Short mmCIF file of all heavy atoms in Angstrom, two decimals:
data_model
loop_
_atom_site.label_atom_id
_atom_site.label_comp_id
_atom_site.label_asym_id
_atom_site.label_seq_id
_atom_site.Cartn_x
_atom_site.Cartn_y
_atom_site.Cartn_z
N ASN A 159 95.74 100.41 103.67
CA ASN A 159 96.14 101.21 104.84
C ASN A 159 97.00 102.37 104.34
O ASN A 159 97.77 102.21 103.39
CB ASN A 159 96.94 100.37 105.83
CG ASN A 159 97.28 101.15 107.08
OD1 ASN A 159 96.39 101.35 107.94
ND2 ASN A 159 98.50 101.61 107.21
N HIS A 183 100.72 99.39 110.91
CA HIS A 183 99.80 98.63 110.08
C HIS A 183 100.47 98.11 108.81
O HIS A 183 100.19 96.98 108.37
CB HIS A 183 98.57 99.48 109.76
CG HIS A 183 97.79 99.79 111.01
ND1 HIS A 183 96.82 100.77 111.07
CD2 HIS A 183 97.83 99.26 112.25
CE1 HIS A 183 96.32 100.81 112.31
NE2 HIS A 183 96.93 99.91 113.03
N LEU A 218 94.79 105.15 113.66
CA LEU A 218 93.36 104.86 113.64
C LEU A 218 93.28 103.33 113.74
O LEU A 218 94.27 102.65 113.57
CB LEU A 218 92.74 105.36 112.34
CG LEU A 218 92.76 106.90 112.20
CD1 LEU A 218 92.37 107.34 110.80
CD2 LEU A 218 91.83 107.54 113.23
N LEU A 222 91.09 99.46 109.16
CA LEU A 222 90.30 100.56 108.61
C LEU A 222 91.13 101.28 107.56
O LEU A 222 92.35 101.37 107.70
CB LEU A 222 89.97 101.49 109.78
CG LEU A 222 89.49 102.91 109.59
CD1 LEU A 222 88.76 103.27 110.86
CD2 LEU A 222 90.62 103.88 109.36
N GLU A 224 92.28 104.58 105.89
CA GLU A 224 92.33 106.00 106.23
C GLU A 224 91.64 106.87 105.19
O GLU A 224 91.14 107.97 105.51
CB GLU A 224 93.78 106.45 106.44
CG GLU A 224 94.43 106.04 107.77
CD GLU A 224 94.90 104.58 107.85
OE1 GLU A 224 94.73 103.84 106.84
OE2 GLU A 224 95.42 104.18 108.90
MN1 LIG B 5 96.16 102.36 109.76
#
Side-chain angles (χ1 to χ4, degrees):
N159 184 75
H183 296 165
L218 294 170
L222 163 157
E224 283 79 0

